[in-house]
Amino acid sequence: MADYSILIGGKAGDGVNRAGQVIAKIFTRLGFFSYMYYDYPSLIRGGHNYAVVRVADHPVGGCREGIDVLLALDSTTLRRHKTFVRNDAVILYNSDLVHDAEGTAIPLLSIITEEEGSPVMANTCLIGAFCKSIGLEWNFVEEVLRLELPHEVEKNLRIARRGYGAVPVEMRPEFLHLAQKGGDKILLTGNEAIALGMVAAGLDGYVAYPMSPATGILHYMAEIAEEAGVTVIHPESEIAAMNMVAGMVYGGFRAATGTAGGGFNLMVEGLSMAAMAELPVTVVLAQRIGPSTGTPTYTAQEDLNYAIYAGNGEFPRFIFAPGDAGQAYECAGHALRLSWKYQVPSLILTDKTLAEGTYTVEPSTLPELIPAQAITRIGPVEEYRRYSDSEDGISPYAIPGDGSVTIKVNSKTHRPDGISTDTPEGIAGCIDKQMRKLPAMRQEVSDLRPVIIYGNPDAEICLLCWGSNAPLCREVAGRLGIKAVQPLVMWPFPAGEVSDAVGDSWMVISVEDNYAGQLADLARHHGIRVDLHIPKYDGRPHSIDGLVELLWGVVA
């Protein structure tokens, strides 16, 4: 089984993230599955950055222990990561900054100076050296780099060729002997997959204020805006973003926003307003370490409870928690569509690991998404009432501007005709009408295959996981012969499906990137037993081997 890890490191501004993506792209073109984790501190400049690209002949969505190739742009990379390299690892380093090190010396800065390149082109030079070390033909390398290098292509190619030539012999040619057929695989980050999923479901507008790790959605939306036909707006704050999305939705445009926990704090007032007004807003909540500013560039799963209960008062909502890029694409489409179908807010919970992680996706496996559409069951004009009651609680949704009906939208407790009310029967009637949507929403969730089982479905030990931990638990379950259960929808919580999936397991263990065990508590609240919680709250995701080691005493 082919399974390799390549680490490239340097300081901020060295193009580490881009270099990692190019390496992942090279292996994807060779037919491998790739996953890339990018680690960087919350600094404008400086600090140590590194990317780990894991490549395998099977789907992967997390990192394992051990490094097979270490690519060091500076001495810090060698110092921090050398102890994790395997005995037969390839080490390539910048000999202009590092002296007397083990491995193959590449004079990156000297080559760049001779070719009149910019300092950031050191990453291109190192990629060239790496490609030679694993036995890639130069013609293939050049083909990939021409596609991936947006600027100064010929100069970059000369520098990459110099790096390629600086490696005397192939050191790990077996990388390529295990390559698969190329196929139609592509690379997507979780943020890109969410953007594409919402576009496929008919998104008209995306409004967001930048906040890591959701910022990538805003950048990608802006990049594809013209081709996708999406209006992209960067307003002055998260408050403005939420209110602008509510306004777009009121006007009949399918709109969404995205942020992290601190920004979501500011959006909650608008979320409550949208809920009372029954405006179908969609929010991407990309989790990171909190509270407050916390650690902006590191991962967490701390906002599940917050997403479920955010807002004053009680109101129905959908919450999705995808685990990889493919699921992110699918969940984003469902969130937008169901938000419009039921005229309720929807949230997509991600985290830094998923949002900025890069995954190999096979487009042929992505589902065809149903476009979001408004419910416009308008009868004779004189009978139109925005909040008219119905058996399922869903009202007609007329769009302002056609002149045929009077549109009323109200964030205060209101009557079916949209006029505010303070009467006891009016208040209870408004709440009853909204909550009447819940049975159909629960059935909608059940129809979506909201729970996924990995590994041995008959095993007596079960891992209960959500979000970005799902790919790791899938691999761990396969390695240990146990079962892993992932709820894809977190609200309305698919309690029956989770209970059926857990079955009569002898031991149920939740694996979460938080201190409290928020999914475990949610499961227990619905009568599902959870025996053990494996927490992680240091901002770093589990590794496959680390999780196996933690489970070894239980499983053995």
Side-chain angles (χ1 to χ4, degrees), residues 94 96-97 106-122 125 155 158-160 162:
N94 183 359
D96 289 320
L97 296 178
I106 313 293
L108 300 179
L109 300 184
S110 300
I111 291 173
I112 292 168
T113 301
E114 291 168 8
E115 297 294 338
E116 299 180 343
S118 60
V120 74
M121 293 179 181
C125 192
K155 184 179 291 185
R158 288 199 308 272
I159 290 172
R162 291 283 303 273

Side-chain angles (χ1 to χ4, degrees), residues 158-365:
R158 288 199 308 272
I159 290 172
R161 186 65 186 263
R162 291 283 303 273
Y164 187 91
V167 174
V169 295
E170 300 172 3
M171 290 174 273
R172 296 294 297 271
E174 73 274 17
F175 272 41
L176 307 183
H177 297 161
L178 297 172
Q180 311 296 296
K181 293 181 179 178
D184 62 349
K185 299 182 182 70
I186 60 173
L187 282 174
L188 288 176
T189 66
N191 280 337
E192 291 169 344
I194 285 173
L196 292 174
M198 290 195 292
V199 168
L203 187 76
D204 297 305
Y206 187 78
V207 187
Y209 185 81
M211 191 169 189
S212 298
T215 307
I217 303 175
L218 177 63
H219 291 170
Y220 189 64
M221 281 289 190
E223 187 179 326
I224 66 171
E226 183 174 350
E227 182 181 0
V230 175
T231 298
V232 180
I233 302 174
H234 171 181
E236 70 274 21
S237 70
E238 289 88 349
I239 296 173
M242 173 58 83
N243 290 335
M244 290 177 75
V245 166
M248 293 176 77
V249 167
Y250 167 74
F253 297 94
R254 292 158 288 194
T257 185
T259 186
F264 189 62
N265 292 344
L266 301 174
M267 290 183 174
V268 168
E269 183 181 5
L271 183 77
S272 297
M273 180 199 70
M276 177 57 91
E278 299 188 51
L279 296 172
V281 298
T282 296
V283 183
V284 182
L285 173 50
Q287 303 165 97
R288 67 190 203 192
I289 289 283
S292 188
T293 303
T295 314
T297 60
Y298 288 94
T299 199
Q301 294 181 316
E302 297 179 343
D303 294 337
L304 174 58
N305 288 336
Y306 190 28
I308 292 173
Y309 299 111
N312 60 305
E314 301 170 308
F315 56 87
R317 70 196 74 187
F318 287 104
I319 301 175
F320 291 83
D324 59 24
Q327 292 181 358
Y329 173 89
E330 182 176 356
C331 287
H334 290 324
L336 190 71
R337 176 178 66 85
L338 295 180
S339 189
W340 276 87
K341 182 174 181 179
Y342 292 91
Q343 299 169 30
V344 298
S346 64
L347 291 93
I348 306 163
L349 269 176
T350 69
D351 54 48
K352 191 266 183 181
T353 303
L354 168 61
E356 297 184 352
T358 304
Y359 301 77
T360 295
V361 176
E362 295 179 279
S364 60
T365 66

Side-chain angles (χ1 to χ4, degrees), residues 23 47 52 57-58 93 96 133 135 152 154 236 247 267 274 278 294 338 352 374 386 408 424 445 466 491 500 522 535:
I23 291 171
V52 180
D57 57 3
H58 54 278
Y93 65 89
D96 289 320
S133 73
E152 299 188 85
E154 297 305 324
E236 70 274 21
M267 290 183 174
E278 299 188 51
L338 295 180
K352 191 266 183 181
R386 170 64 186 94
K408 296 186 179 70
V445 168
W466 62 288
W491 201 264
D500 291 344
L522 182 61

